[in-house]
Amino acid sequence: MPRLSATQRHSIRFTLNGTPVQGEAEPRMLLTDFLRHVLGATGTHVGCEHGVCGACTVQVDGALARACLTLAVQVQGCEIRTVEGLAPAPGRLSILQEAFRRHHALQCGFCTAGILMSLDAFLRAQPDADEAALRDLLSGHLCRCTGYAPIIAAALDAAARLRETAHA
Amino acid sequence: MKPAKFDYVQAEALDEALATLRAEGEGARIIAGGQSLLPMLNMRLARPAVLVDIMHIAALAEATATTETLRIGAAVRQAALLARPSLHPLLAAALPWVGHAQTRSRGTLCGSVAHADPSAEIPLVLLALQGEILLRSARRARRVAATDFFTGMMQTARHEDEMIEAITIPQPRTGEGYAFREVGRRHGDFAIVACAAAAHATGVRLAIGGVADHPAARELPADSAQWDDALDAFAHALDARDDLHATATYRRQLVRKLGRQVMQEAAACRA
């Protein structure tokens, strides 16, 4: 039973978007700060820091997680996916990201990384998701620019295109 | 907002977690999914000396159903239970209202019970169904009825050296019907009022959350002609307060109207 001391930094290893990463953190360090400050992966944004706004949403072993409600020590050995892992190649956007651009589903972009991670996981699990299900999912995110309508439009469009791709 | 410093113990077995609780007393806090505790840590409303992570204890991650009861271990996440093909209809109705998909994926049922927020859905369901909380310390194990467990605002009958090992709820019984409704500002927000009802042949058990400082339940008569008076008396007994989200008057009105709706729905779906 390892006991990690509060005052020391401990080695944390996990896989970030398919690449093994390592850094040091006190037990109290949030995953948001570990990603941004230790690893320099600043795509994950920090909004409210108490689990309400959804800006920091990432995927831990395929499941959605608020990175601000997750300690870095809790994800030892896990597979983490962040917004940096969505694009298939440098200079190319994923189907979901393309839909966001086409529908103007972002303005300032602060909430976007978290919303993309939620939709990415959700559309994989429920490719036939309807608008009601998408609105329910998006209730876990705050966006102060768009009024959500273009986000819903982009998500429905992406869902349809992803279904076509799956059948092709 | 960052947590204050704490030691972190990743328990591999239940005994290890219990030994740490015994040694550290009130300085130790169990962390499971962390979806209630982390906000408290971030805002420094909680400053434990040591966190005991129980998510690697395999025995706690099981939910087991018999014909009589469903036993939900301390490490069972809300999303995992919701994904089960068959689930108690009241849990199935209430779980989608617990936080958001993004927190249900990590949050546990037992963690919500331990946190005991007065507007939380899982304690409410436990109370409506007369479930039990299985507490264990290094010294002993005991079962506490949900009716006796929730004692005040985020206060429970759990002792400092105890942890919730599991909760149990009775399986649906023939001749009973269940319903759940909640009103909040937005879906996933804390409930202003939440109601859960279990209707049986001789009456309806109604549990109300979000009004008093802990969830409360009453047996109301089966005769719907008596409901309005009974609901009015229940609403006034709950000691509603004005706060930022709603006035006491509005909360009492929600108890009357929403309470009647869930009682009707529960009575209508009695199998």
Side-chain angles (χ1 to χ4, degrees), chain A residues 42-94:
Chain A
T42 52
T44 301
H45 290 172
V46 181
C48 70
E49 279 195 328
H50 63 292
V52 174
C53 78
C56 68
T57 302
V58 299
Q59 296 170 13
V60 177
D61 290 337
L64 293 175
R66 305 285 208 223
C68 78
L69 298 187
T70 308
L71 299 167
V73 288
Q74 284 179 293
V75 301
Q76 187 78 264
C78 292
E79 286 190 19
I80 311 290
R81 277 189 86 216
T82 62
V83 70
E84 289 96 336
L86 288 183
R92 283 182 58 202
L93 295 177
S94 71

Side-chain angles (χ1 to χ4, degrees), chain A residues 4 6 33 49 64 118 139, chain B residues 1-2 7-8 42 100 102 105:
Chain A
L4 306 184
D33 291 337
E49 279 195 328
L64 293 175
S118 273
S139 75
Chain B
M1 294 191 295
K2 318 288 178 191
D7 284 1
Y8 176 86
N42 286 0
H100 303 280
Q102 296 86 352
S105 55

Side-chain angles (χ1 to χ4, degrees), chain A residues 1 3 74, chain B residues 6-22 24 27-32 37 48-55 57 163:
Chain A
M1 175 174 66
R3 178 169 180 143
Q74 284 179 293
Chain B
F6 50 77
D7 284 1
Y8 176 86
V9 172
Q10 186 180 296
E12 307 291 341
L14 192 56
D15 288 350
E16 294 177 351
L18 297 174
T20 308
L21 285 183
R22 181 161 75 168
E24 304 279 340
R29 290 291 290 268
I30 297 286
I31 183 166
L37 184 57
V50 55
L51 281 192
V52 184
D53 185 344
I54 58 165
M55 294 307 276
I57 305 174
M163 62 171 275

